Amino acid sequence: MTAIRLLLVDDDPLVRAGLALMMGGAGDIEIVGEGADGDEVEALVDRTHPDVVLMDIRMPSVDGLTATERLRARADAPQVVVLTTFHADEQVVHALRAGAAGFVLKDTPPAEIVAAVRRVAAGEPVLSPAVTRQLMAHAAGARADTRQARARDRLTALNDREREVAVAVGRGLANAEIATGLFMSVATVKAHVSRILAKLGLNNRVQIALLAYDAGLLEE
C-alpha cells in the first residue's frame, strides 16, 4: 500500500515535533516535509508533493487561512486539514469555506489525528455531523439573508436529484446512508457528488454542506 504523503506546517517547533512523533508510528503515513509559516507552503508542496497538509491556523507571516485559499486554488492541490485550539473559531469556518477538508484540535488524542489524516487522504471530511452543525451555526450572523440569497442562486445550477443529494451531504450522511435514503446505488451517489462539486466549483463535501446550510435547505 502506498504511504500517505504528509506535510506539517506549524510555527511552533515543539508542536511539529509532537506531530512528527505521533505520525512516525503510523506505517502508512510518511512525513515528506515541514514548514514554519504559511508563506512556505506552496514551495514545499511543489517540492514534496504531499497528499495531505496538516496546517496551523495562526502563524506569524501568512496564516493558515490565506495559505489554504492559495493552495486550494491550484490544480491538483493536496487536501488540507487545519489545526486549531478552538472548536468554533471563525477562522476555522473561513478555512472550511476556502476548501479545507476539516479541522482537528491540537489537544485531540494522537490516534484521532492519525485517523483524521487517513480519512482526508481517502476523500472523507473530518467533521462529525454535530461539529459541522456547530460550525455552520457559528458562521450564521448579520449577513445571513444576503448569504442565503446568494447560496440559493448558486444552487439553481443543480437538478432536483442533485439538490436532494446536496441536502443529504449537508446533514452529514455518508454515501451509503444517502444511497439507502434516496433509493440509489452508492456509485450513483458518488457520481452525483462529483457533479455537484463540478457544477458549483466546490472542493469537497464540507463546502457542499456549508452551501446547503447557507441556502436554508437543512431547515426545510
Side-chain angles (χ1 to χ4, degrees), residues 90-193:
E90 186 66 30
Q91 287 186 302
V92 173
V93 179
H94 290 168
L96 295 176
R97 292 188 186 280
F103 79 96
V104 293
L105 298 175
K106 288 190 175 182
D107 60 357
T108 298
E112 293 182 23
I113 296 181
V114 172
V117 170
R118 288 174 177 149
R119 287 184 60 188
V120 166
E124 301 175 17
V126 292
L127 297 174
S128 68
V131 172
T132 301
R133 286 193 297 270
Q134 179 185 2
L135 285 170
M136 291 189 296
H138 181 74
R143 294 175 294 174
D145 290 342
T146 300
R147 189 164 55 242
Q148 183 178 91
R150 189 163 54 241
R152 290 193 173 217
D153 183 62
R154 289 184 68 186
L155 288 170
T156 59
L158 305 182
N159 61 39
D160 291 343
R161 203 55 163 163
E162 290 164 349
R163 189 183 179 95
E164 289 178 329
V165 172
V167 171
V169 169
R171 291 186 171 133
L173 300 181
N175 287 340
E177 295 172 315
I178 297 173
T180 299
L182 296 181
F183 305 102
M184 61 178 72
S185 69
V186 171
T188 301
V189 173
K190 290 180 179 179
H192 279 309
V193 171

Side-chain angles (χ1 to χ4, degrees), residues 39-57:
D39 61 0
E40 304 174 32
V41 171
E42 290 188 271
L44 283 168
V45 166
D46 288 338
R47 187 163 67 248
T48 63
H49 306 290
D51 300 307
V52 179
V53 179
L54 191 56
M55 181 151 50
D56 190 17
I57 283 281

